[in-house]
Amino acid sequence: MKFSDKLLARLRRAESICVLTGAGISAESGVPTFRGGDGLWKKFKPEELANFDAFIRNPDVVWEWYAYRKKVIQEVVPNPAHVALAELEKLVTDFTLVTQNVDNLHRRAGSMRVLELHGNIERSYCISCRKKFPDVKPPDNRTAPRCDTCGGLIRPDVVWFGELLPQDVFAEAEKAAARCDLFLCIGTSAVVYPAAMLPSTALNHGAYLVEINAEYTDLSSRAHESLLGKAGTIVPAIVQALHTLRNPTP
Ligand code: BJW
Ligand code: ZN
């Protein structure tokens, strides 16, 4: 795969790289994205499932949806894009991986440090006493699980619309975006805030902004480059290029 001279120069000298990933990076593993074509929001309405009021109104329906998605995620494996980012972490001293995904595939691919902005579907907690449940299952995959300590409703440890992101995690992501010289935005429609602010933060601080996506997005007009195609092909090629540029054969 051929990259522009500008991107190659940036890859050669980048001292700090920040990556933001979204659902598109897991699409080739078989995890449905949210928006577009076969996206989850075509069949399920976010306002009925991905907010706290919907959960209180109908916890069983929300849990049925999460039980289904947990099952999908457990049955898939990380793809070459996840693996390449785990490799990139080893090649760049100041590297930050920020993800909006809750699917844990970055960690399963070997990434050691992942800033999870929207939580993690494998974890849950009781909304009454806050007890954590590392891997709870609804009793029959249809009924919301209850806390064994206080009887309260257990919810997935994910961030729904109208909820604050984990503030310490977001603050770290903002700092990484502000100090990086190369920002890669992979497989996200970049419409959900505040995650979608991170590319702008990077741009405002002088970073080179590269988008990798199957199609143009809200971000494309502001990115220095939009590389259109599959993350599973483009991301490993970028990491290979960086490796070759920094370890030239004599
Ligand atoms: C490929 C590919 C391949 C496919 N290779 N690419 C108006 C303006 C601004 C903000 C707001 C507003 N109104 C409300 C808000 C705030 C709201 C928001 O942003 N809404 C917008 C949608 C308008 N944000 C929030 O509420 C956030 N909290 C917040 O703001 O707190 C402050 C506050 C509190 C109280 C009151 C007011 C303010 C919280 C957001 C939480 C988002 N949660 C979800 C669900 C997580 C749990 C779960 O998974 O169930 O997070 S929503 C969903 O969207 C999920 C994702 O992480 C997130 C982003 O989606 P993503 O990853 O970009 O996926 P897609 O599907 O959109 O895109 C996939 C892309 O991949 C596409 O572009 C494809 O082309 C591409 N692709 N295959 C490369 N092979
Ligand atoms: Zn409890």
Side-chain angles (χ1 to χ4, degrees), residues 15-229:
E15 285 175 5
S16 171
I17 298 182
C18 182
V19 176
L20 173 67
T21 64
I25 196 167
S26 298
E28 289 159 72
S29 290
V31 183
T33 61
F34 292 92
R35 299 167 186 82
D38 295 329
L40 286 167
W41 293 160
K42 281 269 138 108
K43 261 198 266 168
F44 308 96
K45 292 200 169 61
E47 60 274 19
E48 283 170 17
L49 293 164
N51 70 79
F52 187 74
D53 290 346
F55 177 66
I56 294 301
R57 266 199 314 274
N58 213 334
D60 293 351
V61 169
V62 172
W63 261 107
E64 195 177 345
W65 192 58
Y66 278 94
Y68 158 73
R69 288 177 55 208
K70 271 163 88 107
K71 186 166 175 293
V72 169
I73 285 163
Q74 275 156 13
E75 285 169 358
V76 304
V77 291
N79 67 56
H82 298 106
V83 174
L85 291 180
E87 187 58 27
L88 192 55
E89 183 179 27
K90 295 185 206 137
L91 297 173
V92 180
T93 319
D94 184 10
F95 176 78
T96 308
L97 176 56
V98 185
T99 189
Q100 299 168 84
N101 298 346
V102 299
D103 59 24
N104 218 23
L105 287 178
H106 285 303
R107 284 186 203 282
R108 283 173 59 196
S111 286
M112 302 297 287
R113 194 170 147 263
V114 187
L115 301 182
E116 293 173 325
L117 296 182
H118 294 162
N120 188 309
I121 199 169
E122 288 183 3
R123 299 188 307 251
S124 306
Y125 66 93
C126 168
I127 63 169
S128 303
C129 73
R130 300 261 150 183
K131 180 174 173 181
K132 290 178 180 159
F133 293 85
D135 185 23
V136 77
K137 286 187 184 62
D140 52 7
N141 277 347
R142 277 161 195 273
T143 314
R146 293 268 173 182
C147 175
D148 56 8
T149 299
C150 77
L153 269 173
I154 295 174
R155 63 165 282 179
D157 189 0
V158 298
V159 181
W160 285 324
F161 285 113
E163 295 184 325
L164 286 179
L165 276 60
Q167 293 299 284
D168 48 343
V169 178
F170 188 68
E172 251 196 271
E174 268 191 314
K175 274 193 236 153
R179 75 170 178 271
C180 73
D181 30 47
L182 178 62
F183 189 99
L184 304 177
C185 197
I186 307 172
T188 174
S189 54
V191 294
V192 174
Y193 286 83
M197 269 163 44
L198 294 172
S200 304
T201 302
L203 267 181
N204 293 340
H205 287 81
Y208 197 69
L209 175 59
V210 179
E211 166 180 59
I212 296 144
N213 200 297
E215 54 189 38
Y216 290 111
T217 69
D218 283 19
L219 187 67
S220 306
S221 59
R222 283 174 289 143
H224 290 99
E225 299 192 27
S226 291
L227 306 178
L228 288 195

Side-chain angles (χ1 to χ4, degrees), residues 242-250:
L242 180 139
H243 187 261
T244 310
L245 286 162
R246 292 179 179 207
N247 301 281
T249 42

